[in-house]
Amino acid sequence: MDPHLLRTYVTVARLASFSEAARELGYTQSAVSQHIAALETDLGLPLLGRRPVAPTPAGRRLLEHAGALLLRIDAARADLGRFAAAPRTTLSVAASPLALHPRVLAALPATGVTLRALPRERVAEAVATGEADAGLVDGIAAPSDPLRLPDVAPLTATGVAEEPLAVVLPAGHPLAGRAGLRLDDLVDARWLDAPAAGVPLGRLREVHAGPAGRGFRTALRYEGTDTRTLAALAAAGHGLALLPLPVATGVPGAAAVPLAAPRLVHRTELLLPGPERPPGPDGRRGPDRPGEPDGPGEPDGPAAEFARRLKS
């Protein structure tokens, strides 16, 4: 299956237009039509209806595979490109909003940094495909447990911080005076659904281990990335939110009650491209082993220095 043909197909299916896809890809409309016809011939199946332009059942099934296939190809190209790349002098970091706590910010170089806030699921993709030199991603996990990351490419993940979690609610809420709260007691509460700025409600349902889709009803959906706005919405009574305790503390009009059970923490991990290297004689891994030069394709320069400062 030719990846160029597959990429053309995905673009036509997304835009529902051969002409719009040709414009986006820089091809003629005739070339786009030829790409689709060649892919359909290769697979022996019709993939797109023409009027209107829409995937057939087989085409919809192909779309389920296409994103992962194209991402893997882009990641492989970026990974191999690092072997021939000139040494980096700047640093591009992709980060989920809640991963940007003070320790991380203090470790950034003073100059030459581009910091991009991305949704959690996009951070690993950005590092894998070379959009970013390093990534910072967060999530909730049992203490010392690694985060579950999408399998997009070989990446090295290193834990850099773990913080307690707290439920944010209005200061006058009946539960505001508790010393701690159990997630089991909040299943039927009204919650803020903020997948980019807070802990996704789907993740709360997973760790609660109740029936699929049960509980943690959405009162308001916030699609921004500003954690202060999320906390302010909780303080105003629009729904509960689960945030790292340092972020939840000190919000005007809100109370931050520590999560007592289950035993979970807010974890932040550093992502670097390439597989984890085996430990040296001193037990240290990766490009920061003293006295050992970075291998070709391994993170070096500002990315390696950033990693060393975070791990120190």
Side-chain angles (χ1 to χ4, degrees), residues 34-245:
Q34 291 172 17
H35 283 192
I36 300 302
L39 185 60
E40 290 178 325
T41 299
D42 179 25
L43 296 175
L45 290 165
L47 300 174
L48 283 170
R50 278 13 183 214
R51 291 182 181 163
V53 176
T56 64
R60 288 194 295 272
R61 182 62 59 85
L62 178 58
L63 287 173
E64 295 175 9
H65 297 280
L69 290 171
L70 292 174
L71 177 59
R72 274 286 183 173
I73 290 170
D74 291 341
R77 188 181 300 277
D79 202 17
L80 294 176
R82 294 183 186 99
F83 283 79
R88 299 280 299 177
T89 58
T90 59
L91 176 64
S92 172
V93 179
S96 51
L98 281 176
L100 295 174
H101 53 72
R103 181 171 177 233
V104 167
L105 299 179
L108 291 170
T111 59
V113 179
T114 299
L115 185 60
R116 297 173 56 204
L118 294 177
R120 288 179 184 85
E121 63 274 11
R122 282 279 294 118
V123 174
E125 294 178 9
V127 177
T129 59
E131 292 179 47
D133 305 314
L136 292 159
V137 66
D138 77 285
I140 59 174
S144 301
D145 276 3
L147 297 178
R148 296 182 303 173
L149 299 173
D151 183 20
V152 295
L155 296 175
T156 299
T158 305
V160 296
E162 288 189 355
E163 302 166 309
L165 289 158
V167 179
V168 185
L169 32 70
H173 194 283
L175 300 177
R178 296 280 187 92
L181 289 172
R182 296 169 49 87
L183 207 55
D184 284 351
D185 298 331
L186 303 173
V187 175
D188 296 323
R190 298 165 62 250
W191 286 80
L192 292 167
D193 183 15
V199 176
L201 294 189
R203 185 71 179 114
L204 293 188
R205 296 184 186 107
E206 289 176 11
V207 299
H208 175 251
R214 177 179 177 267
F216 304 100
R217 297 171 297 158
T218 298
L220 182 149
R221 181 175 173 86
Y222 173 56
E223 296 185 351
T225 60
D226 188 348
T227 55
R228 293 174 301 177
T229 299
L230 175 60
L233 286 168
H238 292 291
L240 306 184
L242 188 65
L243 290 170
L245 184 58

Side-chain angles (χ1 to χ4, degrees), residues 101 103-104 106-108 134-136 156-161 268-273 275-277 283-289 294 298-299 303-312:
H101 53 72
R103 181 171 177 233
V104 167
L108 291 170
L136 292 159
T156 299
T158 305
V160 296
T268 300
E269 292 184 354
L270 170 69
L271 303 183
L272 292 174
E276 186 174 50
R277 292 165 64 183
R284 299 180 67 175
R285 300 176 182 267
D288 58 343
R289 295 206 295 255
D294 299 333
E298 297 290 347
E305 178 59 28
F306 178 50
R308 280 191 285 269
R309 294 179 67 177
L310 271 178
K311 296 173 187 177
S312 63

